[in-house]
């Protein structure tokens, strides 16, 4: 029988990456299950999709706290109460303090829509187009206190096509994200990818963390 790691997903909005993880967890031999979805925004559309999938959702609204630490204390409590073993940020738009990050060190993943370490932060696609890169993509990495930094689990590349708008590139990258995050979580949850020093070592397959996705025809 597959031993499943208990996953807590953190969202702030649409939650399409969360939905991709929910779908992956339906596979009978997938090594993870989502036990809670927590949003820092009450209006996050992703909460409804979590509920439709039968996953308990919770709102911990950061605006009702006077400090980051107070917000994170309740977040940590909720994750522990749900017996979460591994956190997946999925469009979670909140910087976390060192205390929280260290408490979940090497048990906390994030997805970012660029090939890190390039284009950290916001407006990645605009900046990628502006810089004239011909390949962009996405990265799943372990969370550290610096924004969009930390040991890289897996990356996927997509082409930047002539005349792309930021929205067109974002859509192509997002499609790659939906394939990459389930793969990366599978690698980590199964113990086939783990942090050694400040790099991720892949036990089973050396190239499993590197994926080139071609755009869909048409
Ligand atoms: C994704 O592009 C993710 O990489 C970034 O924010 C976006 C969230 O999208 N961190 P969704 O909420 O998963 O649909």
């Amino acid at each position: 029988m597959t031993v499943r790691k208990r996953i807590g997903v953190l969202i702030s909005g649409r939650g399409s990456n969360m939905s991709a993880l929910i779908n992956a967890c339906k596979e009978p031999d997938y090594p993870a299950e989502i036990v809670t979805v927590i949003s820092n925004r009450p209006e996050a559309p992703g909460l409804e999709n979590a509920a439709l999938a039968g996953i308990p959702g919770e709102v911990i609204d950061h605006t009702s706290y006077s400090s980051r630490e107070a917000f994170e204390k309740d977040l940590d409590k909720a994750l522990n109460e749900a017996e979460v073993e591994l956190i997946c940020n999925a469009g979670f738009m909140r910087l976390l303090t060192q205390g929280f990050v260290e408490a979940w060190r090497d048990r906390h993943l994030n997805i970012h829509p660029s090939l890190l370490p390039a284009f950290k932060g916001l407006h990645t696609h605009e900046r990628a187009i502006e810089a004239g890169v011909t390949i962009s993509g996405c990265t799943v990495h372990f969370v550290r206190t610096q924004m969009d930094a930390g040991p890289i689990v897996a990356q996927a590349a997509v082409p930047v096509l002539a005349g792309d708008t930021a929205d067109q590139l974002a859509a192509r990258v997002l499609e790659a994200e939906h394939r990459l995050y389930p793969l990366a979580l599978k690698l980590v949850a199964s113990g086939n990818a783990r942090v050694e020093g400040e790099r991720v070592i892949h036990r089973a397959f050396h190239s499993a963390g590197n994926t080139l996705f071609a755009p869909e025809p048409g």
Side-chain angles (χ1 to χ4, degrees):
M1 206 187 78
T2 310
V3 178
R4 291 172 184 266
K5 278 254 187 277
R6 296 174 65 83
I7 310 300
V9 179
L10 304 185
I11 63 169
S12 297
R14 171 178 68 176
S16 68
N17 277 293
M18 172 206 74
S19 293
L21 295 178
I22 289 174
N23 284 336
C25 289
K26 289 179 188 158
E27 297 292 323
D29 57 352
Y30 196 78
E33 61 176 321
I34 299 172
V35 295
T36 186
V37 170
I38 300 174
S39 173
N40 66 312
R41 294 187 184 278
E43 72 284 2
L47 284 168
E48 200 180 317
N49 290 331
L52 285 172
I55 296 168
E58 190 175 339
V59 174
I60 303 181
D61 184 349
H62 68 275
T63 62
S64 26
Y65 291 87
S66 56
S67 69
R68 282 187 187 271
E69 287 78 6
F71 162 72
E72 290 171 5
K73 193 170 169 227
D74 275 5
L75 182 59
D76 185 68
K77 187 165 170 255
L79 291 163
N80 282 314
E81 276 172 6
E83 295 177 38
V84 165
E85 297 172 281
L86 189 60
I87 304 173
C88 290
N89 287 6
F92 181 65
M93 304 300 284
R94 195 86 196 129
L95 285 177
L96 295 159
T97 68
Q98 192 173 6
F100 186 93
V101 170
E102 286 307 322
W104 289 92
R105 191 181 176 86
D106 299 343
R107 299 184 296 145
H108 189 177
L109 297 173
N110 182 49
I111 188 161
H112 182 73
S114 76
L115 292 174
L116 291 174
F119 307 118
K120 296 175 180 178
L122 296 173
H123 310 298
T124 48
H125 307 299
E126 285 88 338
R127 289 188 287 134
I129 290 169
E130 180 64 29
V133 298
T134 59
I135 297 173
S136 191
C138 48
T139 304
V140 175
H141 64 95
F142 283 96
V143 173
R144 294 292 184 261
T145 37
Q146 301 89 341
M147 185 183 51
D148 301 324
I152 290 170
V153 179
Q155 294 187 300
V158 301
V160 181
L161 303 179
D164 261 352
T165 63
D167 285 349
Q168 285 168 328
L169 179 57
R172 195 175 307 122
V173 171
L174 191 65
E175 201 184 299
E177 292 183 51
H178 295 164
R179 289 187 267 171
L180 185 72
Y181 214 169
L183 166 70
L185 175 57
K186 185 177 186 174
L187 290 171
V188 173
S190 62
N192 282 313
R194 65 188 162 73
V195 180
E196 208 176 281
E198 275 303 276
R199 295 186 59 183
V200 171
I201 304 298
H202 292 270
R203 188 165 61 187
F205 348 81
H206 271 290
S207 61
N210 304 298
T211 316
L212 184 66
F213 293 136
E216 295 296 323

